[in-house]
Amino acid sequence: MYTDKVMDHFMNPRNVGEIDNASGVGEVGNASCGDIMRIYLDVEDNIIKDVKFKTFGCGAAIATSSMATELIKGKTIDEALELTNKAVADALGGLPPQKMHCSNLAADALHKAIADYKAKQDAKK
Amino acid sequence: MRRVYLDHSATTPVHPGVIEAMVDCMQNHFGNPSSVHSFGREAKKLLEEARANVAHLIGARPEEIIFTSGGTEADNLTIFGVARAMRKKGNHVITSATEHHAVLDACQALTKEGFEVTVLPVDETGMVRVEDVKAALKPETVLVTIMHANNEVGTINPIKEITQLVKAHGAIMHTDAVQTVGKIPVDVNDLGVDLMSLSSHKIYGPKGVGALYIRKGTKLFPLSHGGGQERKRRPGTENLPGIVGFGKAAEIMARELPEEMGRMGRLRQRLIEGLLAIPEVQLNGHPTERIPINVNVSIKYIEGESLLLMLDMKGIAASSGSACTSGSLDPSHVLLAMGICHEVAHGSLRLTLGRDNTEEDIEYVLDVLPQIVERLRAMSPLYANKEG
Amino acid sequence: MRRVYLDHSATTPVHPGVIEAMVDCMQNHFGNPSSVHSFGREAKKLLEEARANVAHLIGARPEEIIFTSGGTEADNLTIFGVARAMRKKGNHVITSATEHHAVLDACQALTKEGFEVTVLPVDETGMVRVEDVKAALKPETVLVTIMHANNEVGTINPIKEITQLVKAHGAIMHTDAVQTVGKIPVDVNDLGVDLMSLSSHKIYGPKGVGALYIRKGTKLFPLSHGGGQERKRRPGTENLPGIVGFGKAAEIMARELPEEMGRMGRLRQRLIEGLLAIPEVQLNGHPTERIPINVNVSIKYIEGESLLLMLDMKGIAASSGSACTSGSLDPSHVLLAMGICHEVAHGSLRLTLGRDNTEEDIEYVLDVLPQIVERLRAMSPLYANKEG
Ligand SMILES: Cc1ncc(COP(=O)(O)O)c(C=O)c1O
Ligand SMILES: Cc1ncc(COP(=O)(O)O)c(C=O)c1O
Ligand code: FES
Ligand code: FES
């Protein structure tokens, strides 16, 4: 059902956890199947220095969370904004058709976290 | 790696004696039971022996058993067959919210033919209330179909009491006994039902074969047409190797049931105790009125599919009512009907025992599971919320 | 005693390689293909391999094959499924007089749902005339179902020509290819049909499994409801051992067909020659457009069942279109549709060849049969009348 890449990221997820006083936090929940994903960013000089996630969901949901955090770690905010759901799924070697909606979670949560970071920056100004 | 199969309500391994009987049938008696010659007569003999064995398992007479391609077909044949045959008498059918999709979806399809279907609720243990059946019976009611035990939570319905009401009312009573036959004593005359669905692959027989018990005198239209096989109720060349395997499985089940029932019950108790020792785990279903092979728990703050995958990596095969495993967007209709909320239903885990399981298997699961639960909870934003 | 099985159109022995594949499936891969865990995934893999093998045998794509419980179900699923799905477009269905009962009786049942059914005649060789199809097509025609080859006399219909007409007319074309697949080359794209019925037990696979080829885009309602198996077109836990056996049989047939076809044709010619050497024996069916395994003759002045019983005493398994073998009062509807009179139909004998048959088998039959014919004729008042 899942590719080896998916299973690897599922069994050994990268960047699980939380960041205290994160620069930005984004949470999305897909009401349809009850999965929830939260991403924490630590941003310094416009660069994502650290990223953590917590996810309640299926194997695909956890693997996409892990892969998304891997893909943006060390990237600039602008680069991170370019990450698409499809890119995450592709990086995992594809997802089963009925699981494509899970891959929408990760990039969406990330974009929300970046929006939260930007809002916080604006508030500081 | 140790492999522990705990998904016997999904399907069972085929008993070695069943395989042997099927191979003998295919190697030595491959004829078409309808043929006049000796090859045909030998096949016919095997067919009727199998029918007698299946009948015996549920206290029926051989001529009241017809073979189908499985439980799904037996359910559909009943629902369409009886409803259509009784159309002139009435157009109301009663079923329950926790039925298998073969029953629920067939009833749903009946509404397009002008039938009205009442779907009874269940209580929080998953049981149909006898008084609800009583209240739902109408002059137009022609068929009531309530499952004997549920496949997800194992709750056993009070079919005998329900049947008494239904028969007194003059309607026809069907029960889907796919999950009880071979696991607890089942007798068509004790229960009093008019029709009963069975499936071979849940009792260590092969997949692709089932049976419908039809009490003498019950009217039923066939679902399909063709040769006159199975008293014109189910045409098509008989699935002889499958039927022979089913018959053998029925024979073995009848013999082993009394002892296995007790053993399953004991393994089940140990498993439930061990699971409830994990924090924030709840038992779903009825505490006592459940088939002895069924354990269903919800492990809060985690999602069932990830749990199944991690168990699978440890060689443990289980199932879940999580939406993520269903291919649809909703979690198990059974758990929801019992009033369990979406989140808790997502974290459901079903472990169903079988004749190959040992105490060591149970201890292995109880050893492995807490670590997996801990790992998944550590990843879960819901668990974090709760702690924070 | 020598046993010679010459009833391969009724059913075939199961190929040893098929039994082996089925045993492996049951012993080592018994999971439910819908399950998430490794047992389920292994089962799913076997299911899809089998689908690919069956698809390959008829030049289809795997996703165009759905498994059924046999040829009868495939025929019924087509007739009810397509007709009901197209109901808004029209209510006319065309079939032919020599179809299998699975098609004829399903079409008959359709008339109760408001469909009009045209049953085309056949010529004296049992063949449907292309011009008859043309004349029968109406604006309301939604489905045409004509068998590829007949099971009794083996006559092959001009399906390619018929399909061209039907498709040009905008209707849906189905063919029951139960008797041709594995015996002559069959390609869904060459024939152009939208649907095709197959049965495993006619090609050395197990009984109780078949397939329906459904060309992409063809609308079809299911016959029954339940789990989402087989793209929601055929619910129920898949008959995995049966399907695996069918897949293996398809693989073997694809490999052996070119050579076996020639060998069967030669045995058949020898058999026909030998039979026609007996006085007052006529060949039924088409002299050349017939499947290579089929021989059908009428032996005048004798009745088929007695003939079969006497052959059986000599170890020879055959079949007949005699009313006495059918359980009904009429002889074969196929022979009657070909214009053969009742008396001659009663004396019909069908011998159908298979991969285990040898030249010695044929010589044995040709040695034994004349004596039997003589004995029966000596008892027959018809023969006496004729001589007197
Ligand atoms: C309660 C119940 N009814 C019907 C079925 C369907 O039986 P089958 O898989 O033989 O079609 C099942 C199992 O899937 C079941 O658990
Ligand atoms: C032409 C034809 N169609 C359909 C069938 C029915 O197939 P099955 O026996 O698999 O139901 C048969 C054989 O009995 C047949 O010969
Ligand atoms: S989280 Fe539900 S299917 Fe992926
Ligand atoms: S003569 Fe006995 S059935 Fe026809």
Side-chain angles (χ1 to χ4, degrees):
Chain A
M1 181 168 79
Y2 289 134
T3 64
D4 291 346
K5 246 310 181 7
V6 173
M7 285 311 288
D8 176 38
H9 275 264
F10 169 68
M11 289 307 287
N12 311 293
R14 302 12 165 203
N15 308 310
V16 176
E18 297 172 22
I19 296 174
D20 293 335
N21 303 316
S23 328
V25 181
E27 180 173 308
V28 291
N30 180 336
S32 61
C33 80
D35 31 352
I36 293 164
M37 181 180 301
R38 194 182 300 148
I39 285 190
Y40 302 83
L41 297 176
D42 179 11
V43 183
E44 229 172 80
D45 299 332
N46 217 36
I47 297 207
I48 298 174
K49 281 196 59 194
D50 199 9
V51 51
K52 295 270 190 234
F53 81 88
K54 285 222 167 173
T55 291
F56 169 85
C58 70
I62 289 171
T64 50
S65 308
S66 167
M67 180 53 90
T69 56
E70 278 263 284
L71 289 172
I72 58 141
K73 205 168 179 176
K75 298 276 164 64
T76 66
I77 288 293
D78 286 344
E79 284 167 339
L81 273 172
E82 276 168 29
L83 184 76
T84 61
N85 296 320
K86 185 171 179 303
V88 178
D90 287 350
L92 286 166
L95 289 173
Q98 76 273 22
K99 293 287 182 185
M100 287 311 289
H101 72 274
C102 309
S103 73
N104 295 345
L105 290 175
D108 290 356
L110 172 69
H111 293 159
K112 263 196 156 171
I114 292 173
D116 179 51
Y117 162 73
K118 284 186 167 168
K120 280 181 180 154
Q121 290 300 104
D122 289 348
K124 278 186 198 163
K125 277 176 199 163
Chain B
M1 185 180 59
R2 188 181 191 112
R3 283 185 98 184
V4 179
Y5 186 76
L6 286 169
D7 203 8
H8 291 84
S9 277
T11 196
T12 55
V14 189
H15 191 288
V18 168
I19 298 180
E20 206 182 297
M22 291 173 70
V23 168
D24 175 61
C25 166
M26 290 191 284
Q27 276 176 347
N28 306 316
H29 312 285
F30 67 86
N32 187 322
S34 302
S35 297
V36 168
H37 47 65
S38 64
F39 295 83
R41 292 194 307 270
E42 287 165 21
K44 178 88 177 165
K45 188 159 166 273
L46 289 184
L47 178 65
E48 298 312 325
E49 279 171 17
R51 200 186 305 279
N53 276 325
V54 171
H56 176 71
L57 183 61
I58 57 168
R61 284 180 300 176
E63 63 272 23
E64 294 175 315
I65 298 292
I66 69 154
F67 289 111
T68 67
S69 68
T72 296
E73 189 187 336
D75 286 341
N76 275 268
L77 180 54
T78 298
I79 290 165
F80 289 108
V82 173
R84 288 173 186 162
M86 304 308 284
R87 187 72 177 84
K88 289 214 180 93
K89 235 200 108 206
N91 71 336
H92 182 233
V93 173
I94 299 174
T95 186
S96 84
T98 60
E99 298 296 313
H100 191 268
H101 277 294
V103 169
L104 279 180
D105 296 2
C107 284
Q108 178 56 35
L110 264 191
T111 62
K112 293 194 196 125
E113 301 184 15
F115 283 87
E116 189 204 336
V117 177
T118 300
V119 182
L120 299 177
V122 294
D123 67 17
E124 73 285 353
T125 69
M127 202 181 281
V128 173
R129 294 180 198 87
V130 179
E131 58 271 28
D132 285 350
V133 178
K134 191 165 188 175
L137 285 164
K138 302 199 288 189
E140 301 80 37
T141 309
V142 287
L143 173 67
V144 179
T145 169
I146 309 277
M147 71 201 318
H148 196 190
N150 179 267
N151 43 307
E152 294 188 32
V153 295
T155 303
I156 302 171
N157 278 316
I159 295 301
K160 189 170 175 170
E161 288 75 7
I162 292 173
T163 303
Q164 278 164 0
L165 280 176
V166 171
K167 300 302 299 171
H169 191 82
I172 292 173
M173 179 70 197
H174 167 253
T175 192
D176 175 338
V178 165
Q179 292 290 342
T180 49
V181 167
K183 273 133 218 163
I184 58 172
V186 174
D187 186 291
V188 290
N189 292 316
D190 177 47
L191 292 174
V193 295
D194 297 307
L195 302 109
M196 179 183 280
S197 301
L198 278 64
S199 178
S200 153
H201 74 101
K202 312 281 185 182
I203 64 163
Y204 306 92
K207 295 174 188 34
V209 53
L212 183 60
Y213 160 78
I214 310 176
R215 188 178 291 278
K216 210 182 159 205
T218 310
K219 268 208 218 149
L220 175 128
F221 285 175
L223 263 184
S224 60
H225 303 263
Q229 293 94 345
E230 299 293 303
R231 306 174 161 246
K232 301 216 166 158
R233 282 162 155 175
R234 208 288 179 173
T237 304
E238 299 87 345
N239 176 357
L240 199 70
I243 289 170
V244 164
F246 187 16
K248 188 73 191 178
E251 183 201 313
I252 296 169
M253 288 301 106
R255 197 167 56 226
E256 292 189 350
L257 190 136
E259 202 183 311
E260 272 298 293
M261 197 168 70
R263 198 177 75 87
M264 291 293 106
R266 288 189 295 279
L267 290 182
R268 199 238 342 239
Q269 274 331 103
R270 171 67 192 119
L271 187 53
I272 290 181
E273 273 165 34
L275 291 171
L276 293 183
I278 302 173
E280 309 220 49
V281 169
Q282 75 175 48
L283 183 68
N284 299 319
H286 200 282
T288 55
E289 290 299 302
R290 73 193 298 151
I291 49 171
I293 68 161
N294 178 287
V295 174
N296 191 309
V297 291
S298 277
I299 304 179
K300 288 183 197 162
Y301 316 116
I302 68 180
E303 185 281 318
E305 196 214 70
S306 349
L307 181 59
L308 296 190
L309 290 174
M310 289 209 173
L311 284 169
D312 189 45
M313 300 301 286
K314 295 284 182 186
I316 300 168
S319 76
S320 166
S322 163
C324 306
T325 64
S326 74
S328 86
L329 293 172
D330 287 313
S332 153
H333 69 285
V334 174
L335 299 176
L336 295 183
M338 289 161 64
I340 293 172
C341 73
H342 273 64
E343 228 172 85
V344 176
H346 277 306
S348 73
L349 174 69
R350 180 184 74 171
L351 300 166
T352 42
L353 301 161
R355 53 192 298 289
D356 295 329
N357 290 137
T358 61
E359 284 178 35
E360 290 74 49
D361 288 345
I362 305 304
E363 297 311 323
Y364 177 66
V365 173
L366 291 177
D367 187 34
V368 161
L369 191 69
Q371 306 156 31
I372 293 178
V373 169
E374 211 169 301
R375 268 190 75 184
L376 284 170
R377 280 184 176 166
M379 274 189 236
S380 169
L382 301 172
Y383 195 62
N385 280 357
K386 176 243 167 193
E387 298 213 303
Chain C
M1 184 180 60
R2 189 179 191 113
R3 284 185 95 185
V4 178
Y5 187 76
L6 285 170
D7 203 9
H8 291 84
S9 277
T11 196
T12 55
V14 189
H15 191 288
V18 167
I19 298 180
E20 205 182 298
M22 291 174 70
V23 168
D24 175 61
C25 166
M26 290 191 282
Q27 275 176 348
N28 306 315
H29 312 285
F30 67 86
N32 188 321
S34 301
S35 297
V36 167
H37 46 67
S38 63
F39 295 83
R41 292 196 307 270
E42 286 164 21
K44 177 89 178 166
K45 189 159 164 273
L46 290 184
L47 177 65
E48 297 312 326
E49 280 172 17
R51 199 186 305 280
N53 276 326
V54 171
H56 176 72
L57 182 61
I58 58 167
R61 286 180 298 175
E63 63 272 23
E64 295 175 314
I65 298 293
I66 69 155
F67 289 111
T68 67
S69 67
T72 297
E73 188 187 336
D75 286 340
N76 276 268
L77 180 53
T78 297
I79 290 164
F80 290 108
V82 173
R84 288 174 186 163
M86 304 309 284
R87 187 73 178 80
K88 289 215 180 93
K89 237 199 107 205
N91 70 337
H92 182 232
V93 172
I94 299 173
T95 186
S96 84
T98 60
E99 298 296 313
H100 190 268
H101 277 294
V103 168
L104 279 181
D105 296 2
C107 285
Q108 177 56 34
L110 263 190
T111 61
K112 293 194 197 126
E113 300 183 17
F115 283 86
E116 188 204 335
V117 176
T118 300
V119 182
L120 298 177
V122 294
D123 67 17
E124 74 286 354
T125 70
M127 202 181 282
V128 173
R129 294 179 198 87
V130 179
E131 57 272 27
D132 285 350
V133 177
K134 192 166 187 177
L137 285 164
K138 303 199 288 188
E140 302 79 36
T141 310
V142 288
L143 173 67
V144 178
T145 169
I146 309 277
M147 71 200 318
H148 196 191
N150 180 266
N151 42 306
E152 294 187 33
V153 293
T155 303
I156 302 171
N157 278 315
I159 296 300
K160 190 171 176 168
E161 290 73 7
I162 292 173
T163 303
Q164 279 163 0
L165 280 176
V166 172
K167 300 302 299 171
H169 191 81
I172 293 173
M173 179 71 197
H174 167 252
T175 192
D176 175 339
V178 165
Q179 291 289 343
T180 50
V181 167
K183 271 132 220 163
I184 59 173
V186 174
D187 185 291
V188 289
N189 293 315
D190 177 48
L191 293 175
V193 295
D194 297 307
L195 302 108
M196 179 183 280
S197 301
L198 277 65
S199 178
S200 154
H201 74 99
K202 311 282 186 182
I203 64 165
Y204 307 91
K207 294 175 187 36
V209 54
L212 183 59
Y213 160 78
I214 310 176
R215 188 177 291 278
K216 211 184 158 203
T218 310
K219 268 208 220 151
L220 175 128
F221 286 174
L223 264 184
S224 60
H225 303 264
Q229 293 95 343
E230 299 293 302
R231 305 174 161 245
K232 302 215 165 158
R233 281 163 157 176
R234 207 288 178 172
T237 303
E238 299 87 345
N239 176 358
L240 199 70
I243 289 170
V244 163
F246 187 16
K248 188 73 191 176
E251 184 201 312
I252 296 168
M253 287 302 106
R255 196 167 57 228
E256 292 189 350
L257 189 136
E259 202 181 312
E260 273 298 293
M261 198 167 71
R263 199 176 73 88
M264 292 294 105
R266 288 189 295 278
L267 290 182
R268 198 235 348 234
Q269 274 333 104
R270 171 68 192 116
L271 188 52
I272 290 181
E273 274 164 35
L275 291 171
L276 293 184
I278 302 173
E280 307 220 51
V281 169
Q282 75 175 49
L283 182 67
N284 299 319
H286 200 282
T288 56
E289 290 300 300
R290 73 191 299 150
I291 50 172
I293 67 162
N294 178 287
V295 174
N296 189 310
V297 292
S298 277
I299 303 179
K300 288 181 198 163
Y301 314 115
I302 68 179
E303 186 281 318
E305 199 213 64
S306 352
L307 181 59
L308 295 191
L309 290 176
M310 289 209 175
L311 284 169
D312 189 44
M313 301 301 286
K314 296 284 182 185
I316 299 168
S319 76
S320 166
S322 160
C324 307
T325 66
S326 74
S328 85
L329 293 174
D330 287 314
S332 154
H333 69 286
V334 174
L335 299 177
L336 295 184
M338 289 160 65
I340 293 172
C341 73
H342 273 63
E343 225 172 272
V344 176
H346 276 306
S348 73
L349 173 68
R350 181 184 74 172
L351 300 167
T352 43
L353 301 160
R355 53 192 298 288
D356 295 329
N357 291 135
T358 61
E359 285 177 35
E360 290 74 47
D361 289 345
I362 306 303
E363 296 312 323
Y364 177 65
V365 172
L366 292 177
D367 187 34
V368 162
L369 192 68
Q371 305 157 31
I372 294 179
V373 170
E374 210 168 302
R375 264 188 77 185
L376 285 170
R377 280 185 177 165
M379 277 189 237
S380 167
L382 300 173
Y383 196 65
N385 281 356
K386 177 240 167 197
E387 298 214 304

